[in-house]
Amino acid sequence: MRRTHETISKAPIINAEFTVTRKRALTGIKPTGIPHVANYIGAIRPALALTEEYDSFYFIADYHALTVIKDPAELRSLTYEVAAAWLAMGLDPQKSTIYRQSDLPETFELNWLLSCVTPKGQMNRAHAYKAAVADAEAQGKTDVDAGINMGLYGYPVLMAADILLFSSDVVPVGKDQSQHVEATRDIAQKFNGTYGPVLKVPELLLSPTAASIAGSDGRKMSKSYGNTLPLFAESAPLHKLIRRYVTDSSGPHDPKDPETSGLFQIYREIADPADTRLVHKALSAGEMTWGELKETVFETLDAFLAEPRERYRELMADKSKINRILVEGADKARPDAIELLARVREAVGRVEIRS
Ligand code: TRP
């Protein structure tokens, strides 16, 4: 079953010349881990599907990653890996815009201007910060802010700057990011309430599958559980990881419930619907063993990933090509950012002393 985002409004905007202006979708990708199959199904594929309907912006949120990544070599390699992953999975720089957050200095000036209208209390209530505080409390720390940097605390403001800089109409994200988009809306409204209607208040476009893909141990597939299927693993390690999936104890000829199987969830997302129905039926009727399911899933996934794996390998062997794509994307995006920032600067009362 292929599910895409819940669409808030599909109507294109028709301007006075009767040319169709597409709405803009923008999403950020934090380079904190190499993408896995659940990232693809839950985030990459639905986000890329939006290029059909929206003027789409994708960016590598490298400065957001700095709240957790302190090793420069790691940030460098993750920036390449994540950009290469999205490109390999089908992001077309001709049909959309891909850039690196840190190539747009306007983002960071807007971040400051927004932080001056953002209530501190709202940041106190942000999930990531609250989770870090709860962690410290659980460890019995007396200073619950110990180890929490200002980057983590102000993370939602930087995200608002990313979004508002491009007057995005919609922001496609998984459920874990919906609070951040709500914060962006609040911050935009706060700014507009103070200075007049300068910022476009974006809509949240919730990606529905994000949380539901299980990893090899049955828990949600996540880098932190070490239970993932990396998107660009070679065939042999991929095979091994799939064989390692836990299954229930039903015997070879017992009826099995496909809905409880993580591997079936994955299969359903990548196989064609007729094959999915056959496998569903065979499992339910006790005519397919878990071992056979594993082989089927491996073959399907391996074939599906063969070309992307090749493209990924080529890109990673030519990092200057990745650089070029990101720089060209930033060059393409930047005029809009400069224009928006000029309006924001003027709105807050900055005097343009050079003009
Ligand atoms: N916070 C997002 C994440 O962790 C990444 C992100 C940064 C983002 N800026 C954004 C997403 C702007 C959407 C819009 O996944």
Side-chain angles (χ1 to χ4, degrees):
M1 199 188 336
R2 302 259 154 105
R3 281 162 292 186
T4 57
H5 293 85
E6 285 168 42
T7 307
I8 307 288
S9 164
K10 289 197 169 195
I13 301 161
I14 314 281
N15 71 19
E17 289 83 38
F18 298 99
T19 53
V20 176
T21 310
R22 295 199 305 167
K23 288 193 168 194
R24 186 172 282 179
L26 173 145
T27 197
I29 309 145
K30 193 163 59 160
T32 47
I34 301 174
H36 51 64
V37 168
N39 293 145
Y40 173 67
I41 294 169
I44 301 177
R45 187 175 64 190
L48 292 181
L50 295 172
T51 53
E52 298 296 320
E53 195 179 330
Y54 292 91
D55 180 21
S56 302
F57 283 51
Y58 308 95
F59 67 94
I60 311 297
D62 57 337
Y63 275 15
H64 265 118
L66 284 176
T67 66
V68 290
I69 295 184
K70 307 296 177 188
D71 174 359
E74 192 185 0
L75 184 68
R76 251 191 308 270
S77 63
L78 279 167
T79 300
Y80 284 124
E81 283 158 358
V82 170
W86 281 67
L87 292 163
M89 295 317 295
L91 192 156
D92 181 347
Q94 305 301 322
K95 294 197 185 136
S96 57
T97 304
I98 178 171
Y99 56 93
R100 187 173 58 159
Q101 180 186 37
S102 61
D103 281 329
L104 291 173
E106 291 75 21
T107 305
F108 308 99
E109 184 171 337
L110 184 59
N111 174 67
W112 174 256
L113 299 172
L114 296 176
S115 75
C116 293
V117 297
T118 303
K120 175 173 176 288
Q122 185 171 16
M123 299 298 99
N124 292 342
R125 290 187 295 276
H127 292 325
Y129 173 67
K130 267 172 59 177
V133 168
D135 241 27
E137 276 169 352
Q139 290 169 31
K141 290 195 181 139
T142 44
D143 177 6
V144 293
D145 279 329
I148 296 175
N149 59 60
M150 284 301 292
L152 173 71
Y153 192 67
Y155 189 107
V157 187
L158 183 56
M159 193 158 150
D162 295 329
I163 296 166
L164 300 173
L165 190 60
F166 288 104
S167 303
S168 313
D169 295 286
V170 298
V171 184
V173 287
K175 221 172 171 170
D176 62 316
Q177 296 297 315
S178 57
Q179 192 199 36
H180 287 149
V181 178
E182 287 307 323
T184 298
R185 291 168 53 84
D186 289 346
I187 292 169
Q189 277 157 350
K190 200 81 197 284
F191 186 94
N192 289 346
T194 310
Y195 296 113
V198 179
L199 302 173
K200 176 170 274 175
V201 182
E203 302 285 341
L204 167 71
L205 205 53
L206 202 58
S207 152
T209 48
S212 57
I213 305 294
S216 56
D217 59 358
R219 293 187 289 176
K220 176 185 165 180
M221 190 184 293
S222 161
K223 176 178 64 110
S224 45
Y225 296 147
N227 63 358
T228 69
L229 298 176
L231 272 178
F232 305 108
E234 296 294 330
S235 300
L238 182 68
H239 199 183
K240 217 165 152 185
L241 287 167
I242 288 175
R243 278 205 297 239
R244 202 181 289 162
Y245 256 73
V246 292
T247 49
D248 69 24
S249 57
S250 43
H253 305 297
D254 290 343
K256 301 168 189 69
D257 181 2
E259 300 303 324
T260 60
S261 158
L263 284 175
F264 181 76
Q265 291 172 352
I266 293 172
Y267 186 70
R268 174 162 57 194
E269 294 289 343
I270 54 162
D272 60 58
D275 290 341
T276 302
R277 278 194 295 276
L278 284 178
V279 168
H280 192 283
K281 223 169 125 201
L283 286 168
S284 309
E287 287 161 3
M288 189 179 212
T289 66
W290 286 131
E292 284 161 352
L293 176 69
K294 287 178 178 180
E295 289 312 302
T296 304
V297 173
F298 166 66
E299 278 159 27
T300 309
L301 195 56
D302 192 49
F304 176 75
L305 291 174
E307 273 181 34
R309 195 185 282 146
E310 198 45 46
R311 283 195 292 269
Y312 180 79
R313 209 180 294 134
E314 280 170 23
L315 282 163
M316 288 303 285
D318 183 6
K319 303 221 173 51
S320 65
K321 182 163 181 197
I322 306 177
N323 284 344
R324 214 175 325 118
I325 292 170
L326 293 176
V327 168
E328 281 171 9
D331 288 347
K332 187 160 81 164
R334 197 148 176 224
D336 280 10
I338 291 173
E339 204 257 336
L340 187 280
L341 186 65
R343 284 192 283 130
V344 171
R345 285 169 156 189
E346 193 185 339
V348 301
R350 176 180 183 275
V351 177
E352 195 57 70
I353 50 180
R354 285 174 208 273
S355 63

